Amino acid sequence: GVDLEIGEGAYLGIIGQNGSGKTTLVKHLNGLLRPTEGQVLVFGVDTRRASVGELARSVGYVFQNPDHQIFCGTTREEIAFGPRNLGLAPEVVRDRVEDALAAFDLAPYAELPPAVLGYGLRRKVSLAAVYAMRPRLLILDEPTAGLDQRSADELMDRIAAMHRAGHSIVLVSHDMQLVAAHCRQVVVMDQGRVLVQGPPGFVFQ
């Protein structure tokens, strides 16, 4: 029962109680879930007629738990996996990996298995791996969960830079302070429907 339009260049927060439908909604944007009624269009593409791999060219999804996303032997390989799967030239893949390592301060860990890194670093690796694919739309599910304040601030600064560079951002969070500080628009979900939508000041008022 959701009727929602997310504009190009959006920085949208999606909030609501557990079970309200937040994650279910965003999983429709990259084809992890398909609508049984109506349709979901992402940059003009009907998600029912596109594979997850095809949608990954324009939609990046960073899972709430980085361990659901990380599987390669080194941080460098993890970041290279997505761009390589897009069929990019080896030199382009190499440049994107170096850029992502620098952008997320991961160069010291490039040759280490991401699985042995601390939680905050694993979260950075999962975001850097999606960042390297240059998605037009970036979906973040509870990106600061489990991070200390400094790590959370650094992560949100990097996401803000991506937004300034032209990426659309969808942020799913229970952290109202985070949503109020960063999002331009907020959607409140309740029992699988949009309860209210508007600027943070209007919604929280």
Side-chain angles (χ1 to χ4, degrees):
V2 170
D3 185 3
L4 178 66
E5 184 172 336
I6 302 171
E8 186 101 42
Y11 199 141
L12 175 72
I14 301 181
I15 63 176
Q17 296 178 342
N18 286 333
S20 62
K22 303 184 299 297
T23 298
T24 298
L25 172 61
V26 295
K27 281 184 175 180
H28 280 81
L29 301 181
N30 71 341
L32 289 177
L33 294 176
R34 312 282 177 161
T36 52
E37 295 180 27
Q39 63 179 178
V40 177
L41 299 175
V42 179
F43 302 114
V45 176
D46 189 332
T47 61
R48 289 174 302 183
R49 295 183 172 86
S51 69
V52 173
E54 289 168 331
L55 292 168
R57 292 180 175 276
S58 55
V59 181
Y61 191 111
V62 181
F63 288 84
Q64 181 173 350
N65 184 343
D67 298 331
H68 292 165
Q69 188 172 333
I70 289 170
F71 60 91
C72 288
T74 69
T75 296
R76 184 183 299 279
E77 291 171 6
E78 188 72 43
I79 296 171
F81 181 84
R84 195 175 287 133
N85 265 17
L86 293 179
L88 301 176
E91 60 272 17
V92 176
V93 173
R94 185 176 59 250
D95 289 347
R96 288 200 183 184
V97 170
E98 293 304 323
D99 178 46
L101 288 170
F104 292 91
D105 301 316
L106 291 169
Y109 315 100
E111 310 310 327
L112 294 177
V116 306
L117 302 178
Y119 183 85
L121 285 171
R122 296 201 308 278
R123 181 163 283 290
K124 275 188 174 184
V125 171
S126 67
L127 182 54
V130 173
Y131 166 81
M133 297 175 71
R134 301 291 192 272
R136 291 170 67 184
L137 171 63
L138 180 65
I139 302 168
L140 302 141
D141 198 346
E142 299 288 358
T144 59
L147 298 184
D148 59 34
Q149 192 61 52
R150 179 182 172 184
S151 297
D153 289 344
E154 289 176 351
L155 190 66
M156 295 311 295
D157 285 347
R158 174 47 49 191
I159 293 165
M162 292 177 70
H163 182 248
R164 289 192 299 271
H167 299 266
S168 302
I169 309 292
V170 172
L171 173 69
V172 176
S173 183
H174 284 103
D175 187 336
M176 298 303 103
Q177 218 167 0
L178 190 78
V179 171
H182 295 280
C183 297
R184 307 283 179 83
Q185 288 278 312
V186 179
V187 162
V188 183
M189 297 286 295
D190 181 54
Q191 297 181 6
R193 296 182 180 274
V194 174
L195 195 64
V196 64
Q197 178 180 4
F202 166 76
V203 169
F204 290 128
Q205 193 175 43

